[in-house]
Amino acid sequence: MAIDRLSNLPQGIILFILSRLEIHDAVRTCILSKRWSRLWTRIPCLNINSQAFEHWDTFQFFLLRFIIRYNPCNLYTCNFVSHDDDLDYRLVRSVIDYAIKNQVAHLLVDCPNLNNFQIPPQLSTVGCRSLEGLTLRGLSFQLPEPFYLISLVTINLDGVTIGKDIMLGCINLESFMMKNCKIRDMDQIAIIAHKLVMLDIQYKRLDDSPKEMRVIINAPKLESLSFSFDCDSCHSVTVKGRPALESASIDFYQNLTFENTEDVTERSKYVVFLVGFLKDVSNAKSLTLSAGIIKLLSTMPEKVKMLPSPFHNLKYLKVLKDSGNQSIIIPPEVETFLVGGSPNGPELLKATMLFFVELKQPSESEN
């Protein structure tokens, strides 16, 4: 007789395995044996995906019956994913309400096709003390104001409409990721989080967003900063206090209009802005720059030449190639600005040159 090794596993391990499945597959295990008949009601992680069902009505009927039979006292993580065009906002609201009411610790909602969906206000109240991780993906989501989640440690927003000071009520936040978000009715966003350790922002201006966005970052314990923007989206970034960063990654990409412009004033404005941003992250030990930053600084070597290098703690420098996979040439003036202040300057340039860029040799007239 064959040995049922799976059923002989401790219940904790079985529940862990079931938590990796989508809920309709987890429920199907109830037919295996009497012991398995109710195990699915105690899984700590719910993975809800409407794409696993051929028809929307079938998914909705299943989900509502599942919620009735599930034991909510075990709920720890709830992941809700639906890319259906005919998604009913009432069902999404019901799932969020259910998760918050039952003290979920981690919540993910991924519904890109939902139109003008207002996040339930109970998600942002002082009474919601269980939520530690929140991920929202969808251009229709609008975060309520004020946004108070005092237990929140990690937040990931992708394509969400947000307000001015979304961080003020998240006093324990340690990780914040924001991508393609719309800033509502303002030209400035302040990120104030005194426990924040990791910050990742990818900002691209949407059609009805302000043309000149200012970003202010006040995070004294920040260790990792990644910031990606284009010439149309952001005109000022201030990192207050120059935190002792372990790593900083800055990506600036130009559109064709900017690349071909001969307007010296416009380019000079961006060089001044970029130099100020680099000074604010000058305590970083590891620095990653995009090809766009090197190209921009290289357009005005005479201005960069007058600036002392602010990077005195730099140990690693990485310059990424552009989309054409072409080597990037660094003029001597830009080279000195980036690594001239570091005691590891020559070694940094040598390693960078080997893997990512080429150094521009000065001509005889420059010597």
Side-chain angles (χ1 to χ4, degrees):
M1 179 179 295
I3 300 176
D4 185 359
R5 298 184 184 276
L6 184 60
S7 296
N8 289 333
L9 290 174
Q11 180 170 297
I13 295 180
I14 296 177
L15 292 177
F16 176 81
I17 295 173
L18 292 179
S19 294
R20 300 291 174 173
L21 303 176
E22 293 183 358
I23 57 171
H24 70 289
D25 289 327
V27 171
R28 288 174 179 173
T29 62
C30 68
I31 65 173
L32 295 179
S33 68
K34 185 176 181 179
R35 182 192 179 193
W36 285 76
S37 63
R38 299 289 296 173
L39 278 178
W40 62 270
T41 66
R42 297 195 290 271
I43 55 178
C45 177
L46 302 184
N47 297 308
I48 307 168
N49 192 338
S50 66
Q51 293 176 297
F53 296 80
E54 293 186 8
H55 303 288
W56 171 256
D57 292 340
T58 305
F59 166 68
Q60 188 173 14
F61 179 75
F62 171 86
L63 182 58
L64 294 177
R65 288 175 60 86
F66 176 89
I67 289 176
I68 293 174
R69 289 170 170 76
Y70 177 73
N71 185 352
C73 66
N74 299 294
L75 186 59
Y76 183 75
T77 300
C78 181
N79 301 321
F80 181 84
V81 179
S82 180
H83 294 184
D84 293 274
D85 294 330
D86 54 352
L87 178 61
D88 189 338
Y89 75 92
R90 291 172 297 183
L91 182 64
V92 181
R93 183 179 292 272
S94 297
V95 172
I96 295 177
D97 288 345
Y98 179 82
I100 297 302
K101 178 181 177 181
N102 291 291
Q103 302 295 302
V104 70
H106 297 273
L107 176 64
L108 178 150
V109 183
D110 182 356
C111 302
N113 297 325
L114 201 62
N115 294 321
N116 300 321
F117 182 76
Q118 296 282 348
I119 296 296
Q122 58 267 34
L123 184 61
S124 62
T125 61
V126 178
C128 182
R129 297 179 178 272
S130 65
L131 197 63
E132 300 175 5
L134 175 64
T135 297
L136 298 175
R137 301 191 186 117
L139 286 172
S140 60
F141 288 135
Q142 295 188 27
L143 289 187
E145 294 183 21
F147 190 64
Y148 291 109
L149 286 174
I150 59 176
S151 299
L152 200 65
V153 177
T154 300
I155 183 169
N156 186 343
L157 305 177
D158 187 348
V160 177
T161 300
I162 61 178
K164 181 179 179 181
D165 299 317
I166 62 170
M167 316 289 283
L168 289 180
C170 306
I171 58 176
N172 291 305
L173 197 66
E174 298 179 5
S175 176
F176 178 42
M177 291 165 280
M178 185 179 83
K179 179 180 180 182
N180 299 327
C181 288
K182 176 182 176 182
I183 313 301
R184 182 170 48 231
D185 302 327
M186 62 197 68
D187 59 1
Q188 174 179 301
I189 178 173
I191 299 175
I192 304 172
H194 296 289
K195 292 185 179 182
L196 193 67
V197 176
M198 194 281 289
L199 177 62
D200 186 348
I201 297 179
Q202 299 180 45
Y203 182 69
K204 186 174 182 180
R205 188 176 74 86
L206 302 177
D207 293 339
D208 53 350
S209 297
K211 291 185 177 181
E212 295 191 4
M213 174 61 64
R214 294 180 296 166
V215 179
I216 299 174
I217 301 171
N218 188 348
K221 294 185 178 182
L222 194 63
E223 297 179 2
S224 174
L225 171 64
S226 179
F227 201 100
S228 176
F229 60 101
D230 62 18
C231 59
D232 288 331
S233 64
C234 192
H235 287 243
S236 174
V237 180
T238 302
V239 184
K240 293 188 175 182
R242 296 191 181 182
L245 294 166
E246 288 292 325
S247 64
S249 177
I250 304 174
D251 180 11
F252 172 78
Y253 43 98
Q254 310 171 19
N255 58 31
L256 292 177
T257 302
F258 185 83
E259 287 184 354
N260 297 326
T261 185
E262 297 181 359
D263 188 340
V264 177
T265 303
E266 184 73 8
R267 287 189 177 275
S268 178
K269 180 178 68 173
Y270 274 100
V271 169
V272 172
F273 152 51
L274 188 55
V275 167
F277 188 10
L278 290 173
K279 286 182 179 180
D280 284 350
V281 298
S282 59
N283 284 331
K285 296 178 181 178
S286 174
L287 180 65
T288 301
L289 302 176
S290 68
I293 291 179
I294 301 301
K295 290 179 179 179
L296 180 59
L297 294 176
S298 300
T299 60
M300 293 193 166
E302 69 286 347
K303 184 180 289 290
V304 177
K305 183 178 181 180
M306 301 171 59
L307 304 172
S309 174
F311 298 99
H312 303 297
N313 299 321
L314 198 61
K315 295 182 179 181
Y316 306 98
L317 174 64
K318 180 188 295 185
V319 179
L320 303 178
K321 292 183 178 180
D322 59 16
S323 57
N325 204 32
Q326 298 177 351
S327 296
I328 308 302
I329 297 176
I330 301 183
E333 298 85 355
V334 178
E335 164 192 328
T336 302
F337 173 73
L338 292 177
V339 300
S342 171
N344 302 314
E347 290 77 12
L348 283 173
L349 283 176
K350 183 178 179 181
T352 304
M353 180 178 62
L354 284 175
F355 297 106
F356 301 100
V357 302
E358 295 178 359
L359 301 182
K360 180 180 179 181
Q361 300 300 323
S363 61
E364 293 183 1
S365 62
E366 293 175 327
N367 291 329

